[in-house]
Amino acid sequence: MATIALSRTGQKMPLVGFGLWKVTKSSTADTVYKALQAGYRLLDGAGDYGNEKEAGEGLARAIKDGVVKREEVFVTSKLWNTFHAKEHVAKLARKQLADWQLEYFDLFLIHFPISLKYVDPETRYPPEWFYDGKSQVELQNTPYEETYHAMETLVDEGLAKNIGISNVNGSLLIDILRYARIKPAVLQVELHPYLPQEQLVTLCKKYDIAITAYCSFGPASWLELDMHKHVPSLLDHDVVAQVAKKYSGKTPAQVLLRWASQRGIAVIPKSNNHDRLVQNLNHTDITLDEADIATLTSLNQNARFNDPGSIDPRIAIFA
Protein backbone atom coordinates (compact mmCIF):
# COMPACT_ATOMS: atom_id res chain seq x y z
CA MET A 1 0.00 0.00 0.00
CA ALA A 2 1.27 3.46 -0.92
CA THR A 3 2.20 5.66 2.04
CA ILE A 4 3.35 9.17 2.92
CA ALA A 5 6.32 9.58 5.29
CA LEU A 6 5.48 12.21 7.89
CA SER A 7 8.13 14.86 8.30
CA ARG A 8 9.10 14.75 12.00
CA THR A 9 8.67 11.08 12.88
CA GLY A 10 9.10 9.46 9.49
CA GLN A 11 6.02 7.37 10.32
CA LYS A 12 4.30 6.12 7.18
CA MET A 13 0.70 7.25 6.77
CA PRO A 14 -1.33 5.26 4.22
CA LEU A 15 -2.30 7.23 1.14
CA VAL A 16 -5.83 5.80 1.22
CA GLY A 17 -7.84 5.62 4.42
CA PHE A 18 -11.36 4.91 5.55
CA GLY A 19 -13.28 7.95 6.78
CA LEU A 20 -15.72 7.49 9.66
CA TRP A 21 -17.75 10.67 9.21
CA LYS A 22 -21.43 9.77 8.78
CA VAL A 23 -20.81 6.04 9.14
CA THR A 24 -23.98 4.77 10.81
CA LYS A 25 -23.28 4.33 14.52
CA SER A 26 -25.08 1.01 14.81
CA SER A 27 -23.00 -0.49 11.98
CA THR A 28 -19.66 1.23 12.67
CA ALA A 29 -18.02 -1.70 14.47
CA ASP A 30 -18.83 -4.13 11.65
CA THR A 31 -17.94 -1.58 8.96
CA VAL A 32 -14.53 -0.91 10.52
CA TYR A 33 -13.88 -4.64 10.87
CA LYS A 34 -14.77 -5.26 7.22
CA ALA A 35 -12.73 -2.26 6.07
CA LEU A 36 -9.68 -3.68 7.82
CA GLN A 37 -10.39 -7.10 6.31
CA ALA A 38 -10.55 -5.45 2.88
CA GLY A 39 -7.09 -3.95 3.38
CA TYR A 40 -7.61 -0.47 4.80
CA ARG A 41 -4.87 0.50 7.23
CA LEU A 42 -5.88 4.09 8.01
CA LEU A 43 -8.99 4.94 10.00
CA ASP A 44 -9.98 8.60 10.14
CA GLY A 45 -12.24 9.44 13.05
CA ALA A 46 -13.16 12.35 15.31
CA GLY A 47 -14.85 12.89 18.62
CA ASP A 48 -17.57 14.85 16.83
CA TYR A 49 -18.53 11.89 14.65
CA GLY A 50 -20.13 10.19 17.63
CA ASN A 51 -19.00 6.70 16.67
CA GLU A 52 -15.48 6.37 18.09
CA LYS A 53 -16.48 3.84 20.75
CA GLU A 54 -17.98 1.62 18.06
CA ALA A 55 -14.99 2.13 15.77
CA GLY A 56 -12.75 1.04 18.63
CA GLU A 57 -14.83 -2.09 19.09
CA GLY A 58 -14.38 -2.96 15.42
CA LEU A 59 -10.63 -2.36 15.58
CA ALA A 60 -10.27 -4.35 18.80
CA ARG A 61 -12.12 -7.28 17.27
CA ALA A 62 -9.93 -7.16 14.16
CA ILE A 63 -6.80 -7.19 16.34
CA LYS A 64 -8.14 -10.05 18.46
CA ASP A 65 -9.00 -12.09 15.36
CA GLY A 66 -5.56 -11.55 13.84
CA VAL A 67 -6.82 -9.45 10.93
CA VAL A 68 -4.34 -6.71 11.84
CA LYS A 69 -1.81 -5.79 14.49
CA ARG A 70 -2.15 -2.45 16.28
CA GLU A 71 1.08 -1.14 14.81
CA GLU A 72 -0.21 -1.84 11.29
CA VAL A 73 -3.19 0.51 11.64
CA PHE A 74 -2.82 4.29 11.45
CA VAL A 75 -5.56 5.83 13.59
CA THR A 76 -6.42 9.52 13.23
CA SER A 77 -8.76 11.42 15.51
CA LYS A 78 -9.62 15.06 16.13
CA LEU A 79 -10.14 17.47 19.02
CA TRP A 80 -13.53 19.15 18.95
CA ASN A 81 -14.06 22.91 19.20
CA THR A 82 -15.44 22.91 22.75
CA PHE A 83 -12.22 21.48 24.17
CA HIS A 84 -9.68 24.06 22.99
CA ALA A 85 -8.67 25.37 26.43
CA LYS A 86 -5.31 23.97 27.52
CA GLU A 87 -6.81 22.21 30.55
CA HIS A 88 -9.23 20.26 28.35
CA VAL A 89 -7.03 19.02 25.49
CA ALA A 90 -5.27 16.09 27.18
CA LYS A 91 -8.41 15.22 29.15
CA LEU A 92 -10.40 14.78 25.97
CA ALA A 93 -7.59 13.00 24.14
CA ARG A 94 -7.53 10.44 26.95
CA LYS A 95 -11.31 10.04 26.76
CA GLN A 96 -11.15 9.49 23.02
CA LEU A 97 -8.31 7.01 23.40
CA ALA A 98 -10.41 5.11 25.93
CA ASP A 99 -13.30 5.05 23.46
CA TRP A 100 -10.95 3.61 20.84
CA GLN A 101 -9.39 1.19 23.39
CA LEU A 102 -5.98 2.57 22.42
CA GLU A 103 -2.92 3.90 24.21
CA TYR A 104 -1.98 6.42 21.52
CA PHE A 105 -3.23 8.03 18.33
CA ASP A 106 -1.01 7.94 15.28
CA LEU A 107 -2.32 11.40 14.41
CA PHE A 108 -4.42 13.85 16.41
CA LEU A 109 -5.79 16.97 14.73
CA ILE A 110 -7.45 20.18 15.86
CA HIS A 111 -10.75 19.75 14.06
CA PHE A 112 -11.55 23.44 13.39
CA PRO A 113 -9.78 26.73 14.12
CA ILE A 114 -12.86 27.79 16.09
CA SER A 115 -12.98 27.74 19.88
CA LEU A 116 -16.46 27.15 21.30
CA LYS A 117 -17.69 27.42 24.85
CA TYR A 118 -16.85 24.34 26.91
CA VAL A 119 -19.48 21.64 27.34
CA ASP A 120 -18.74 19.03 29.98
CA PRO A 121 -18.76 15.54 28.37
CA GLU A 122 -20.88 14.39 31.31
CA THR A 123 -23.53 16.85 30.13
CA ARG A 124 -23.46 15.92 26.44
CA TYR A 125 -20.99 14.12 24.19
CA PRO A 126 -20.31 14.81 21.47
CA PRO A 127 -21.43 18.39 22.13
CA GLU A 128 -21.57 19.38 18.44
CA TRP A 129 -21.85 23.06 17.51
CA PHE A 130 -24.68 24.14 19.77
CA TYR A 131 -23.94 25.03 23.39
CA ASP A 132 -27.53 24.36 24.45
CA GLY A 133 -27.81 21.32 22.21
CA LYS A 134 -30.38 23.09 20.03
CA SER A 135 -29.60 26.49 18.52
CA GLN A 136 -27.27 28.47 20.78
CA VAL A 137 -23.70 28.71 19.43
CA GLU A 138 -21.15 30.46 21.65
CA LEU A 139 -17.49 31.21 21.11
CA GLN A 140 -14.85 30.87 23.79
CA ASN A 141 -11.92 33.26 24.17
CA THR A 142 -9.16 30.68 23.71
CA PRO A 143 -6.35 31.60 21.28
CA TYR A 144 -5.45 28.96 18.73
CA GLU A 145 -1.83 29.14 19.92
CA GLU A 146 -2.89 27.96 23.38
CA THR A 147 -4.66 24.96 21.89
CA TYR A 148 -1.76 24.11 19.63
CA HIS A 149 0.79 24.16 22.46
CA ALA A 150 -1.50 21.88 24.46
CA MET A 151 -1.54 19.53 21.48
CA GLU A 152 2.27 19.45 21.56
CA THR A 153 2.15 18.10 25.11
CA LEU A 154 0.20 15.10 23.80
CA VAL A 155 3.31 14.13 21.86
CA ASP A 156 5.47 14.67 24.96
CA GLU A 157 3.18 12.39 26.97
CA GLY A 158 2.98 9.69 24.30
CA LEU A 159 -0.74 10.15 23.68
CA ALA A 160 -0.18 11.04 20.01
CA LYS A 161 2.72 10.19 17.72
CA ASN A 162 1.91 13.07 15.39
CA ILE A 163 -0.24 16.17 15.64
CA GLY A 164 -1.81 18.26 12.94
CA ILE A 165 -4.49 20.71 11.95
CA SER A 166 -7.68 20.73 9.94
CA ASN A 167 -9.78 23.30 8.10
CA VAL A 168 -6.95 25.84 8.23
CA ASN A 169 -6.08 28.32 5.47
CA GLY A 170 -2.66 29.48 4.34
CA SER A 171 -2.42 32.59 6.51
CA LEU A 172 -3.23 30.70 9.71
CA LEU A 173 -0.83 27.93 8.71
CA ILE A 174 2.01 30.45 8.42
CA ASP A 175 1.13 31.85 11.85
CA ILE A 176 1.17 28.35 13.38
CA LEU A 177 4.63 27.73 11.94
CA ARG A 178 5.88 30.87 13.74
CA TYR A 179 5.22 29.45 17.19
CA ALA A 180 5.05 25.67 16.73
CA ARG A 181 7.61 23.69 18.73
CA ILE A 182 6.38 20.57 16.94
CA LYS A 183 5.45 21.37 13.35
CA PRO A 184 2.06 20.07 12.21
CA ALA A 185 2.58 16.81 10.36
CA VAL A 186 -0.68 16.90 8.43
CA LEU A 187 -3.26 19.42 7.26
CA GLN A 188 -6.68 17.95 6.55
CA VAL A 189 -8.90 20.09 4.32
CA GLU A 190 -11.82 19.94 1.94
CA LEU A 191 -10.31 19.29 -1.48
CA HIS A 192 -11.88 18.15 -4.77
CA PRO A 193 -11.99 19.37 -8.40
CA TYR A 194 -14.57 22.02 -7.48
CA LEU A 195 -12.10 23.25 -4.82
CA PRO A 196 -8.52 22.28 -5.79
CA GLN A 197 -6.85 24.68 -3.32
CA GLU A 198 -3.71 24.69 -5.46
CA GLN A 199 -1.93 27.49 -3.57
CA LEU A 200 -2.54 25.80 -0.22
CA VAL A 201 -1.27 22.48 -1.60
CA THR A 202 1.89 24.19 -2.86
CA LEU A 203 2.41 25.92 0.50
CA CYS A 204 2.13 22.65 2.41
CA LYS A 205 4.61 20.96 0.09
CA LYS A 206 7.05 23.83 0.65
CA TYR A 207 6.97 23.23 4.41
CA ASP A 208 6.82 19.44 4.17
CA ILE A 209 3.33 19.16 5.62
CA ALA A 210 1.28 16.23 4.34
CA ILE A 211 -2.26 16.87 3.11
CA THR A 212 -5.33 14.76 3.64
CA ALA A 213 -8.30 15.58 1.44
CA TYR A 214 -11.83 15.13 2.66
CA CYS A 215 -15.04 15.35 0.61
CA SER A 216 -13.24 14.00 -2.45
CA PHE A 217 -16.62 13.66 -4.20
CA GLY A 218 -17.55 17.30 -3.62
CA PRO A 219 -21.27 17.99 -3.03
CA ALA A 220 -22.14 14.29 -2.74
CA SER A 221 -21.01 14.33 0.90
CA TRP A 222 -23.43 17.11 1.74
CA LEU A 223 -26.67 16.09 0.02
CA GLU A 224 -28.30 14.52 3.06
CA LEU A 225 -27.42 17.61 5.13
CA ASP A 226 -28.85 19.93 2.48
CA MET A 227 -25.50 21.74 2.37
CA HIS A 228 -24.60 20.91 -1.23
CA LYS A 229 -25.66 24.39 -2.38
CA HIS A 230 -27.33 22.77 -5.41
CA VAL A 231 -23.95 22.43 -7.12
CA PRO A 232 -24.01 19.66 -9.79
CA SER A 233 -22.68 16.31 -8.64
CA LEU A 234 -19.08 15.50 -9.51
CA LEU A 235 -19.96 11.80 -9.57
CA ASP A 236 -22.44 12.49 -12.39
CA HIS A 237 -20.43 15.19 -14.14
CA ASP A 238 -19.95 14.59 -17.89
CA VAL A 239 -16.27 15.59 -17.75
CA VAL A 240 -15.53 13.17 -14.91
CA ALA A 241 -17.43 10.41 -16.73
CA GLN A 242 -15.44 11.03 -19.92
CA VAL A 243 -12.16 10.78 -18.04
CA ALA A 244 -13.28 7.57 -16.31
CA LYS A 245 -14.12 5.96 -19.66
CA LYS A 246 -10.45 6.20 -20.65
CA TYR A 247 -9.50 3.87 -17.79
CA SER A 248 -11.21 0.58 -18.38
CA GLY A 249 -13.44 -0.56 -15.56
CA LYS A 250 -12.81 2.47 -13.35
CA THR A 251 -15.66 4.49 -11.87
CA PRO A 252 -15.97 8.28 -11.61
CA ALA A 253 -15.44 7.90 -7.85
CA GLN A 254 -12.13 6.10 -8.39
CA VAL A 255 -10.98 8.76 -10.85
CA LEU A 256 -11.85 11.55 -8.41
CA LEU A 257 -9.86 9.84 -5.66
CA ARG A 258 -6.91 9.27 -7.99
CA TRP A 259 -6.93 12.95 -9.00
CA ALA A 260 -5.76 13.63 -5.44
CA SER A 261 -3.80 10.53 -4.44
CA GLN A 262 -1.64 10.48 -7.57
CA ARG A 263 -0.25 13.83 -6.42
CA GLY A 264 0.62 12.52 -2.97
CA ILE A 265 -2.54 13.81 -1.28
CA ALA A 266 -4.10 11.28 1.09
CA VAL A 267 -7.81 10.52 0.71
CA ILE A 268 -10.29 9.19 3.26
CA PRO A 269 -13.50 8.15 1.46
CA LYS A 270 -16.22 6.46 3.45
CA SER A 271 -18.96 4.13 2.39
CA ASN A 272 -21.58 2.07 4.16
CA ASN A 273 -21.63 -0.10 1.01
CA HIS A 274 -19.00 -2.84 1.05
CA ASP A 275 -18.51 -3.03 -2.73
CA ARG A 276 -17.87 0.71 -2.97
CA LEU A 277 -15.64 0.50 0.09
CA VAL A 278 -13.43 -1.98 -1.77
CA GLN A 279 -13.54 0.03 -5.01
CA ASN A 280 -12.41 3.16 -3.18
CA LEU A 281 -9.42 1.35 -1.72
CA ASN A 282 -8.43 -0.14 -5.08
CA HIS A 283 -8.36 3.09 -7.07
CA THR A 284 -4.56 3.49 -7.03
CA ASP A 285 -3.82 0.89 -9.72
CA ILE A 286 -4.29 3.48 -12.47
CA THR A 287 -2.14 6.44 -13.45
CA LEU A 288 -4.05 9.40 -14.80
CA ASP A 289 -2.58 11.35 -17.70
CA GLU A 290 -1.39 14.79 -16.68
CA ALA A 291 -3.86 16.20 -19.19
CA ASP A 292 -6.69 14.42 -17.39
CA ILE A 293 -5.56 15.78 -14.02
CA ALA A 294 -5.54 19.27 -15.57
CA THR A 295 -9.00 18.71 -17.05
CA LEU A 296 -10.41 17.70 -13.68
CA THR A 297 -8.69 20.63 -11.96
CA SER A 298 -10.26 23.00 -14.50
CA LEU A 299 -13.67 22.20 -12.98
CA ASN A 300 -12.71 24.56 -10.13
CA GLN A 301 -15.63 26.68 -8.91
CA ASN A 302 -14.12 27.62 -5.54
CA ALA A 303 -17.13 25.72 -4.21
CA ARG A 304 -16.54 25.17 -0.49
CA PHE A 305 -19.23 23.16 1.27
CA ASN A 306 -17.70 23.23 4.77
CA ASP A 307 -16.49 26.78 5.39
CA PRO A 308 -14.79 27.43 8.77
CA GLY A 309 -14.22 31.03 7.70
CA SER A 310 -17.95 31.75 7.70
CA ILE A 311 -19.02 32.82 11.18
CA ASP A 312 -22.62 31.95 11.96
CA PRO A 313 -24.51 35.10 13.06
CA ARG A 314 -26.00 33.10 15.94
CA ILE A 315 -22.59 33.00 17.58
CA ALA A 316 -22.29 35.26 20.61
CA ILE A 317 -18.70 36.51 20.39
CA PHE A 318 -16.64 35.62 23.47
CA ALA A 319 -19.63 34.58 25.52
Side-chain angles (χ1 to χ4, degrees):
M1 176 180 289
T3 60
I4 302 170
L6 301 184
S7 57
R8 184 183 63 86
T9 62
Q11 187 177 3
K12 294 180 179 180
M13 181 178 76
L15 189 62
V16 185
F18 186 78
L20 291 164
W21 181 47
K22 296 195 302 179
V23 174
T24 306
K25 185 175 180 177
S26 60
S27 64
T28 296
D30 287 339
T31 299
V32 165
Y33 187 90
K34 291 175 182 177
L36 293 169
Q37 277 187 318
Y40 281 92
R41 293 297 179 265
L42 187 159
L43 300 173
D44 183 90
D48 186 56
Y49 298 166
N51 57 10
E52 289 196 299
K53 185 175 182 294
E54 292 74 18
E57 291 169 357
L59 174 58
R61 177 152 51 98
I63 293 172
K64 180 181 177 181
D65 291 353
V67 175
V68 292
K69 297 177 181 177
R70 166 63 185 100
E71 58 271 21
E72 295 173 339
V73 183
F74 190 103
V75 179
T76 298
S77 190
K78 307 175 189 76
L79 178 79
W80 186 241
N81 307 339
T82 50
F83 309 117
H84 276 207
K86 60 185 177 182
E87 64 268 23
H88 296 145
V89 174
K91 177 181 177 182
L92 263 294
R94 288 189 174 93
K95 171 182 169 39
Q96 290 175 247
L97 285 168
D99 286 344
W100 274 96
Q101 303 180 45
L102 297 176
E103 295 181 354
Y104 66 88
F105 287 122
D106 296 277
L107 176 65
F108 199 58
L109 308 174
I110 303 175
H111 205 150
F112 282 93
I114 301 171
S115 178
L116 297 180
K117 188 174 180 179
Y118 175 69
V119 176
D120 191 319
E122 295 296 325
T123 300
R124 187 176 67 255
Y125 187 85
E128 301 181 316
W129 287 95
F130 305 112
Y131 178 71
D132 61 356
K134 298 177 182 178
S135 60
Q136 183 182 354
V137 183
E138 295 189 8
L139 291 179
Q140 177 173 278
N141 193 11
T142 302
Y144 196 84
E145 182 175 359
E146 176 182 321
T147 307
Y148 193 84
H149 287 319
M151 293 281 287
E152 292 172 321
T153 67
L154 302 182
V155 177
D156 299 335
E157 296 175 18
L159 301 178
K161 290 190 174 184
N162 303 275
I163 55 172
I165 51 183
S166 182
N167 297 301
V168 162
N169 63 20
S171 58
L172 181 53
L173 174 58
I174 291 297
D175 195 49
I176 294 165
L177 293 175
R178 291 188 179 106
Y179 55 71
R181 174 171 59 87
I182 299 174
K183 187 176 71 173
V186 175
L187 168 61
Q188 185 173 128
V189 289
E190 179 182 348
L191 195 147
H192 44 74
Y194 282 157
L195 186 70
Q197 304 222 57
E198 292 179 279
Q199 289 184 329
L200 184 59
V201 169
T202 301
L203 183 65
C204 286
K205 288 182 178 179
K206 178 177 180 179
Y207 290 103
D208 203 15
I209 297 170
I211 299 175
T212 298
Y214 70 79
C215 293
S216 294
F217 306 139
S221 300
W222 302 95
L223 283 170
E224 63 197 72
L225 301 175
D226 196 26
M227 292 173 62
H228 60 294
K229 302 179 181 179
H230 303 287
V231 175
S233 171
L234 277 170
L235 291 170
D236 298 326
H237 200 292
D238 289 344
V239 170
V240 179
Q242 288 169 8
V243 171
K245 285 180 182 178
K246 293 178 60 176
Y247 302 91
S248 179
K250 294 302 177 184
T251 66
Q254 290 174 310
V255 165
L256 290 168
L257 292 170
R258 194 58 174 148
W259 170 83
S261 68
Q262 187 169 312
R263 294 177 292 141
I265 297 170
V267 292
I268 46 170
K270 77 91 182 173
S271 180
N272 288 308
N273 179 285
H274 187 71
D275 289 341
R276 287 196 294 269
L277 178 153
V278 174
Q279 287 178 355
N280 290 340
L281 178 63
N282 295 332
H283 79 272
T284 59
D285 58 357
I286 58 170
T287 301
L288 299 180
D289 294 340
E290 290 300 319
D292 291 330
I293 290 177
T295 295
L296 293 171
T297 303
S298 73
L299 298 177
N300 180 22
Q301 297 184 18
N302 289 317
R304 190 186 303 272
F305 303 100
N306 189 24
D307 189 0
S310 178
I311 300 298
D312 192 311
R314 291 171 295 181
I315 291 177
I317 303 299
F318 305 144

